[in-house]
Every structure is written in structure tokens, then in C-alpha cells.
């Protein structure tokens, strides 16, 4: 028996062997068998954890110890990663697997449609041993509120009766989705720009010029000019990587989900065009775990591209998140891909200089990449001309809340919230009058109806203390309790803070507690907001005060008269 076998068998450790809990040989063999088709690499830790939980219903202590041994890392590293993500359930070896998870969306759009009452009803009907009824952050289905996820199955516009019926029938697989096929995409000219670029007919410089002429910016929220970002990365030393941020966790945002589910090849061609322009050695897609249907579609269509020799096997790697809003921040996302907790990195260096595995990395979101094939095929100037009020191009607005026809609306950049509601959403819902709106999800702040004619565009909303971000427009009406809405957003940030830096970890909780007080100290709230904005490591802590501060500024009479509960 060699030294490794002795350690596995539980004998006294010799020199150079890791300390800690003994590895059970049978458990180790079972983990090896379960992960047989996955390389035993440190960066695949989240994929290993998903596989274990999908198989056993939870992450058992013995399996985590065996996994640490197989990866040759400390058990503490595995535990700190597993406990960071909300979708992983840890349990002892002898404990029964947790009951079925029934996640009720707790996002603002779902709350407006009765999500809290639905949660209470489900908890009344479902015994704890049969199901765990959990309040969960926004699931990216805000136009279909309220939403419940049973296993991997979503119930849209859900009722207690419907959820109970799903559980009774054992229907736990993702909702079926009809997406555009490879053949249909090719029939409308798909992949021609990519083939032209790869053959040299279309120069890389021309693609970059067209993207620049289009005025394309990062649609995930930051709004950095895409062509400039691509050029910066392309000039960095090789190997260079491309990462797609598909962790669409900003409350109220669901545009990327529709693109991935309905037009996967338009997105994949945009990904490959960007990869070719920067000379990427490999690509990663980091997809939020709340999108199981999109995961199945991408897995299938990437495999098809590999069979058709449009990409080399393994060139595009698909990774699942595990329920952490912070991983929408690009450096936290990269940490997660590397198999770690999703802690944002201190900058500099920026990820364009030292990103994934320390290499120069281009990070773009789904919508940005999906727009590229059309820009290259039709010309950047033509795309730019589709904007309004002097702004360039089109963008997809996720509209939810008190409108007649919520959904993803592709509209000219710079459109106002009023025009978006009236011209694209059929107006306000019956019997409702516009009170306020969130122009950029939870992070973007809140504006009153009197400011509904402002352009929804980068650089414009900042003038009034708000952000367009991912263009998640949540519409509130005169029927809504603004104080309860703001409290819901503060609760979200307090829950989703990763805890790495004190201004955010303590600040989000303190701001929520102060706001809940019968008579909040407004001066102290303003002082706290300033500290959080100035001292937090990443955008979560910096933007967390936005909904409260803007509501205090523009809607104080509504904010201070509500009841403040859900």
C-alpha cells in the first residue's frame, strides 16, 4: 500500500500529507465514478459541486472531504466555496437529503404581484418534510410574475394550486423552450460574418471599426465602449481569454435569458466574432443557475458547433453559477470560474490586463455579443441611426411592474420611460397611474412620474443620481407602497452583500435597520450612503444606497408615509 492509499485508509499521516478529516475510500471511489467525465481541476470546483448536489440532493460532508482529496486542496477551501453560494445545500453524512426546494421569487416585480402572500400560502399548505418554501432573489422572469421554481421547473404567474399540482405530479424539469435552430439561423445569413472574418475576406480592423461606428457599449450595466475594450485586450500579451457574463442577476432584468433561449446562435456567433477579434485562446460562458432551460440549449448548440467543426472541442466552456448576485461583477465572476468564492478583486489591475487565470480577459454580456453579428452584417452606421434623440443604436429594455404588456422591448437608445410605457407596453395597467419607476433595476435608483421624459441612456440618468445599468425598468403605480418597495430593495442588497468589505457588509445591514426605524435619521442615512459609495470595493456597495437616496430626494412624501412591510 502506497502513502496515498494509507491516507485514504485512515492510517496515521506521514510526512507531507495533508492534515484534517480522514478520507473514506468507498466514498472517494464513488465521487471518482460520479465525476468520471469531468477533469479533476481546481477551477471546475463549482461544476463538481453541482454534480454532487444534482446526484444526491445535497453536498454531504464525506463527499466534500473526498473531493478535496481528489483536487489536492484543503477541505476548508471546498467548504468556503460551497457555503458561499445560496444554491448549495450542505448536510452531514447521516442526515436525510433536504426536502424539495420550492423557491418563490422575492424580487420587486413579483412582490407587486403578490409573491409574499403566495409564499405564506405555500408554507401553510406544504409540510416542511415535503418541501422547503424559500424566498429567493429575482429569477429573471419579471414579466411573468409571480414566479416559483420547483426543482428546475418554473411556474409563471404562479398560484398555490399550480405549484401544488407540479409537486404532486413530480414535474421538476425545466420548462420546454423553442429556440431558433442552427439551420434557421444560417438561412437568414447567420455565421457568414464569422466565416468571412476567419477566411480573411473581412479584416479584423473592419469589424472593430463597424462596432465603433455602431456606438455599441457594454449592455450589462457599465456601458464601456465595446470597440475600445476589444482593442485594449487585443493588444495585450497572449494568451488572451473571453468571458461572457450571463449571470443576469440585477432585479428586473431578463433580456439576456430571452436571447439565450430564443436566439442562441446569434449570441454564439457574436461570441465567436469577439473571440476572433481579440485572438482569444478560449471562451467561457458563466450562466446563472436560475436559467436551466438556457443551460440545456447552450449545451446542445455548442456541441452541435463542435460536431460541425465551427469551433474546436472545448473552445467554449459553459459554467453554472450557484445563486450569488455578486458574481455579476466581472472580477467576482472570474473568481467563481476559477472555483472560488465570488469575491470582487481590488483594482488595478483590471481584468483586461490580468483577468481569468491572470491572463488578459475580455468580459462582455449576452446582449452586447448578440448585437455584433447584425452590426457587422448591416454596418455600424446603420445600427447607430436606429437610436433616438441623438443616441446610437437599439437596446433591449426589460419592462415589468404596472404596465399592460410587460416584457423585453427592443427600442431606440435614449427613449424615455413614458414613451417606452405608452408606445411599447400598451400603457399603464388598467386602473393604475404612474407613480415612479426604476430605470436600471435595484441599483439604478427610483425616479418620479414627473421625470419620466428623461432619456434612458448612459451618461444621462447619472445627472439626476440614477443609473440605466442593464435597462431593467420596473414601473410603480399609485396603488403601490413606495416605502415597502424601497425596503424590499434594501433587504436585497443586505442579503446579497458578499461580506468581503466592511462598508458594504455592515453598511447594507445598518441602512436597512435605520430605514425600518419609526423615524429614520436622514442626516445619518446620507452620511452612511456617502461612506458606502466611497469605500466599498465594488458596485454592489456603491449602488446599494441608490434606491433610498433617490426616493428621499424625489418622492419624500410617498416614502415616509408608507407602512414599509411587504
Amino acid at each position: 500500500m502506497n502513502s496515498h492509499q494509507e491516507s485514504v485508509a485512515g492510517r496515521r499521516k506521514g510526512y507531507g500529507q495533508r492534515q484534517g478529516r480522514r478520507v473514506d475510500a468507498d466514498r472517494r471511489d464513488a465521487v471518482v465514478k460520479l465525476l468520471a467525465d469531468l477533469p479533476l481541476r481546481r477551477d471546475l470546483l463549482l461544476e463538481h459541486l453541482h454534480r454532487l448536489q444534482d446526484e444526491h440532493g445535497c453536498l454531504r460532508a464525506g463527499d466534500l472531504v473526498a473531493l478535496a482529496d481528489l483536487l489536492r486542496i484543503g477541505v476548508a477551501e471546498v467548504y468556503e466555496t460551497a457555503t458561499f453560494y445560496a444554491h448549495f445545500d450542505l448536510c452531514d453524512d447521516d442526515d436525510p437529503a433536504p426536502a424539495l426546494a420550492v423557491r418563490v421569487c422575492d424580487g420587486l416585480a413579483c412582490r407587486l404581484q403578490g409573491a409574499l402572500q403566495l409564499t405564506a400560502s405555500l408554507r401553510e399548505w406544504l409540510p416542511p418534510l415535503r418541501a422547503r418554501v424559500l424566498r429567493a432573489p429575482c429569477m429573471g422572469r419579471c414579466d411573468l410574475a409571480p414566479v416559483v421554481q420547483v426543482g428546475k421547473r418554473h411556474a409563471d404567474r404562479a398560484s398555490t394550486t399550480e405549484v401544488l399540482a407540479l409537486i404532486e405530479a413530480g414535474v421538476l424539469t425545466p420548462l420546454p423552450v423553442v429556440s431558433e435552430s442552427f439551420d434557421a439561423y444560417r438561412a437568414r445569413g447567420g455565421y457568414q460574418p464569422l466565416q468571412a472574418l476567419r477566411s480573411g475576406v473581412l479584416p479584423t480592423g473592419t469589424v472593430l471599426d463597424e462596432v465603433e461606428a455602431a456606438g455599441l457599449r457594454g449592455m450589462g450595466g457599465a456601458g464601456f465602449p465595446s470597440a475600445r475594450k476589444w482593442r485594449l485586450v487585443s493588444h495585450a500579451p497572449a494568451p488572451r481569454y473571453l468571458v461572457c457574463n450571463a449571470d443576469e442577476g440585477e432585479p428586473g432584468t431578463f433580456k439576456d435569458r430571452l436571447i439565450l433561449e430564443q436566439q442562441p446562435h446569434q449570441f454564439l456567433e457574436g461570441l465567436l466574432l469577439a473571440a476572433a477579434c481579440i485572438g482569444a485562446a478560449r471562451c467561457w460562458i458563466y450562466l446563472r443557475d436560475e436559467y436551466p432551460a438556457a443551460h440545456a440549449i447552450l449545451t446542445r448548440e455548442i456541441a452541435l458547433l463542435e460536431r460541425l467543426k465551427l469551433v474546436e472541442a472545448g473552445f467554449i466552456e459553459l459554467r453554472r453559477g450557484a445563486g450569488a448576485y455578486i458574481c455579476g461583477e466581472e472580477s467576482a465572476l472570474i473568481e467563481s470560474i476559477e472555483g472560488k468564492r465570488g469575491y470582487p478583486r481590488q483594482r488595478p489591475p483590471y481584468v483586461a490586463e490580468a483577468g481569468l487565470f491572470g491572463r488578459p480577459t475580455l468580459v462582455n454580456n449576452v446582449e452586447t455579443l448578440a448585437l455584433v453579428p447584425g452590426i457587422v452584417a448591416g454596418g455600424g452606421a446603420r445600427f447607430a441611426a436606429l437610436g433616438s434623440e441623438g443616441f446610437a443604436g437599439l437596446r433591449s429594455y426589460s419592462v415589468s411592474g404596472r404596465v399592460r404588456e410587460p416584457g423585453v422591448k427592443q427600442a431606440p437608445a435614449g427613449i424615455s420611460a413614458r414613451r417606452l410605457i405608452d408606445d411599447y407596453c400598451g400603457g399603464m395597467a388598467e386602473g393604475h397611474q404612474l407613480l415612479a419607476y426604476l430605470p436600471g433595476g435595484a441599483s439604478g435608483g427610483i425616479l418620479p412620474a414627473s421625470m419620466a421624459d428623461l432619456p434612458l441612456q448612459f451618461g444621462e440618468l447619472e445627472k439626476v443620481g440614477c443609473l440605466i445599468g442593464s435597462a431593467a425598468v420596473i414601473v410603480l403605480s399609485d396603488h403601490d407602497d413606495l416605502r415597502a418597495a424601497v425596503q424590499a430593495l434594501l433587504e436585497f442588497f443586505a442579503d446579497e452583500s458578499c461580506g468581503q468589505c466592511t462598508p458594504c457588509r455592515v453598511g447594507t445591514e445598518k441602512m436597512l435597520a435605520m430605514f425600518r426605524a419609526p423615524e429614520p435619521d436622514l442626516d445619518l442615512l446620507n452620511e452612511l450612503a456617502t461612506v458606502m459609495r466611497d469605500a466599498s470595493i465594488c458596485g454592489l456597495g456603491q449602488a446599494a444606497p441608490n434606491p433610498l437616496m433617490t426616493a428621499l430626494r424625489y418622492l419624500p412624501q410617498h416614502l415616509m408615509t408608507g407602512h414599509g412591510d411587504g
Side-chain angles (χ1 to χ4, degrees):
M1 181 179 289
N2 60 36
S3 61
H4 182 67
Q5 290 172 319
E6 287 176 352
S7 176
V8 170
R11 299 185 179 183
R12 185 181 301 275
K13 288 181 170 64
Y15 176 77
Q17 294 176 339
R18 295 185 308 284
Q19 296 182 359
R21 178 170 170 169
R22 301 293 194 271
V23 181
D24 179 87
D26 292 338
R27 183 65 63 86
R28 185 182 187 278
D29 291 343
V31 172
V32 168
K33 183 177 180 181
L34 182 63
L35 303 179
D37 61 326
L38 280 174
L40 291 173
R41 299 200 321 256
R42 175 69 173 82
D43 65 290
L44 285 169
L45 177 56
L46 262 70
E47 294 298 313
H48 299 146
L49 295 174
H50 275 302
R51 182 70 62 85
L52 289 168
Q53 176 147 313
D54 289 346
E55 178 70 16
H56 301 303
C58 64
L59 299 175
R60 297 198 178 277
D63 290 337
L64 297 185
V65 172
L67 181 58
D69 185 71
L70 290 166
L71 295 176
R72 310 301 295 170
I73 61 176
V75 175
E77 292 182 70
V78 175
Y79 269 86
E80 71 179 13
T81 299
T83 55
F84 181 85
Y85 297 92
H87 288 186
F88 291 137
D89 296 311
L90 278 70
C91 58
D92 289 332
D93 292 337
D94 298 329
D95 290 344
L100 173 69
V102 177
R103 291 186 165 91
V104 184
C105 182
D106 197 31
L108 181 56
C110 283
R111 287 199 187 200
L112 296 178
Q113 300 298 333
L116 298 185
Q117 294 82 354
L118 179 58
T119 301
S121 175
L122 288 171
R123 285 177 175 166
E124 180 180 350
W125 281 94
L126 289 169
L129 292 178
R130 188 180 182 193
R132 296 170 293 151
V133 180
L134 309 172
R135 286 167 60 173
C138 181
M139 294 182 184
R141 308 179 75 86
C142 313
D143 54 331
L144 305 168
V147 175
V148 177
Q149 186 174 354
V150 183
K152 295 185 183 298
R153 185 78 164 204
H154 287 99
D156 298 325
R157 300 188 180 94
S159 65
T160 301
T161 302
E162 181 184 1
V163 174
L164 294 176
L166 282 176
I167 296 172
E168 187 66 30
V171 180
L172 308 178
T173 55
L175 280 167
V177 175
V178 178
S179 56
E180 184 179 36
S181 69
F182 173 82
D183 290 338
Y185 183 63
R186 283 294 295 267
R188 65 181 181 91
Y191 290 108
Q192 290 181 8
L194 179 63
Q195 290 176 331
L197 179 61
R198 287 178 169 177
S199 67
V201 173
L202 178 64
T204 298
T206 300
V207 174
L208 290 168
D209 289 344
E210 295 295 351
V211 171
E212 184 173 33
L216 184 65
R217 303 176 71 166
M219 300 299 192
F224 195 86
S226 299
R228 190 192 311 171
K229 195 173 189 180
W230 293 16
R231 287 191 172 102
L232 284 171
V233 178
S234 69
H235 293 151
R240 295 174 289 274
Y241 297 138
L242 188 153
V243 170
C244 173
N245 185 347
D247 192 64
E248 186 178 46
E250 182 65 39
T253 314
F254 48 97
K255 58 189 175 62
D256 287 355
R257 175 181 63 80
L258 263 66
I259 292 170
L260 295 173
E261 291 180 351
Q262 297 178 1
Q263 299 174 308
H265 285 285
Q266 182 170 318
F267 156 69
L268 288 169
E269 184 179 16
L271 177 86
L272 293 172
L273 283 166
C277 285
I278 69 165
R282 288 181 66 194
C283 303
W284 283 260
I285 302 170
Y286 187 89
L287 178 68
R288 70 184 310 215
D289 197 34
E290 291 85 348
Y291 291 173
H295 187 275
I297 290 166
L298 287 174
T299 300
R300 182 186 69 222
E301 300 307 319
I302 291 170
L304 175 61
L305 294 183
E306 291 176 348
R307 290 198 302 275
L308 295 174
K309 307 299 183 183
L310 279 174
V311 294
E312 294 182 5
F315 181 75
I316 302 175
E317 192 164 338
L318 179 61
R319 298 289 185 89
R320 285 166 68 183
Y325 167 73
I326 191 62
C327 289
E329 196 276 337
E330 62 179 7
S331 66
L333 179 152
I334 284 172
E335 288 286 298
S336 190
I337 291 177
E338 292 180 357
K340 306 170 189 174
R341 294 173 294 182
Y343 275 175
R345 296 176 179 176
Q346 294 277 8
R347 285 170 289 231
Y350 296 92
V351 300
E353 305 165 275
L356 188 59
F357 308 123
R359 302 307 309 164
T361 303
L362 171 65
V363 180
N364 276 144
N365 91 311
V366 172
E367 184 188 1
T368 304
L369 295 171
L371 287 170
V372 172
I375 289 171
V376 175
R382 181 180 177 185
F383 177 83
L386 298 175
S388 67
E389 308 299 328
F391 300 107
L394 300 172
R395 74 172 304 173
S396 295
Y397 298 86
S398 305
V399 187
S400 61
R402 305 300 192 178
V403 295
R404 196 180 299 270
E405 300 168 8
V408 175
K409 313 295 178 179
Q410 191 173 61
I415 193 172
S416 68
R418 197 181 310 279
R419 275 193 57 206
L420 188 65
I421 294 168
D422 292 342
D423 298 349
Y424 289 81
C425 301
M428 294 292 294
E430 187 69 29
H432 291 259
Q433 293 185 359
L434 179 63
L435 169 68
Y437 66 102
L438 285 70
S443 302
I446 302 175
L447 291 172
S450 60
M451 300 174 74
D453 294 311
L454 292 173
L456 296 173
Q457 179 63 7
F458 297 115
E460 295 298 314
L461 293 173
E462 288 85 345
K463 299 172 184 177
V464 293
C466 287
L467 302 168
I468 180 62
S470 60
V473 181
I474 306 175
V475 179
L476 305 176
S477 81
D478 55 344
H479 290 209
D480 297 317
D481 181 345
L482 183 65
R483 185 175 177 85
V486 170
Q487 180 171 311
L489 299 173
L490 295 179
E491 289 172 354
F492 168 79
F493 286 118
D495 188 58
E496 290 295 331
S497 173
C498 74
Q500 181 182 193
C501 71
T502 302
C504 179
R505 180 184 67 251
V506 177
T508 51
E509 293 183 355
K510 181 63 70 175
M511 180 166 284
L512 174 60
M514 291 169 62
F515 181 69
R516 282 174 169 162
E519 295 184 9
D521 186 329
L522 301 186
D523 290 337
L524 193 57
L525 279 170
N526 273 289
E527 185 177 343
L528 176 59
T530 299
V531 171
M532 292 172 65
R533 287 169 176 158
D534 291 346
S536 295
I537 289 175
C538 80
L540 191 157
Q542 295 162 13
N546 286 351
L548 175 55
M549 293 298 105
T550 51
L552 282 171
R553 180 177 178 184
Y554 298 115
L555 294 142
Q557 70 279 18
H558 294 280
L559 184 64
M560 306 313 294
T561 57
H563 51 73
D565 57 34

